Amino acid sequence: MAENPNNARSLGEQVVQANLAVHAAATATEARSIFTAPCACVVRDVSYTPDVASTGDNTNTTNLNVINKGAAGSGTTEVGNLDLATGTDLVAFDNTRIPLNSTYADGVTLAKGDVIALQFEKVSTGVLVGPGLVTIRFVPKVG
């Protein structure tokens, strides 16, 4: 096999995955780290594949918010969200995109060391979000 001195693979899309524990309906709003930028990059996509189904509800629900925590971990910018309202359900073992907000249509630009978190925002009495796999797709910035 020929050596690749330019490491061309690193210039294409990269995928990072992390397992998350269950978020119980009774649990208060909480955030979990899902990605630390290994280099300057642009996050293009975030998705969640739960192990169990969750049924959305307009009154008692949980919103999945993608938060840019920055390098210091104190950032609060919501860059994407999936509100589990009535008609928006999570299907067991089905990959569901968490859409990035329109401001980030071209992706979320991060510096090396910036952290992205997935926030489970409890609304009223909440809804259970089962354990699952979060997938982050990103492209390293060149230059």
Side-chain angles (χ1 to χ4, degrees):
M1 179 184 233
E3 196 172 322
N4 182 356
N6 296 324
N7 196 12
R9 183 179 182 280
S10 69
L11 300 178
E13 182 179 80
Q14 305 287 307
V15 177
V16 174
Q17 295 181 310
N19 287 303
L20 295 182
V22 66
H23 171 81
T27 303
T29 295
E30 64 179 334
R32 299 181 188 160
S33 297
I34 58 171
F35 179 71
T36 300
C39 59
C41 64
V42 178
V43 172
R44 301 270 186 195
D45 188 70
V46 177
S47 61
Y48 191 65
T49 306
D51 294 348
V52 297
S54 296
T55 302
D57 184 82
N58 287 340
T59 304
N60 301 307
T61 193
T62 297
N63 300 327
L64 306 181
N65 302 321
V66 179
I67 307 293
N68 183 349
K69 301 297 280 181
S74 59
T76 59
T77 303
E78 182 179 301
V79 298
N81 70 293
L82 179 67
D83 295 346
L84 298 180
T86 300
T88 303
D89 304 327
L90 295 176
V91 178
F93 304 104
D94 185 35
N95 186 275
T96 301
R97 285 189 70 240
I98 301 174
L100 297 178
N101 298 341
S102 60
T103 302
Y104 302 98
D106 294 328
V108 181
T109 300
L110 300 175
K112 180 178 181 179
D114 283 354
V115 174
I116 295 289
L118 184 60
Q119 179 189 62
F120 296 87
E121 177 188 7
K122 180 179 179 177
V123 178
S124 192
T125 59
V127 67
L128 178 136
V129 176
L133 182 69
V134 65
T135 302
I136 300 96
R137 297 181 185 283
F138 71 99
V139 178
K141 290 181 73 174
V142 179

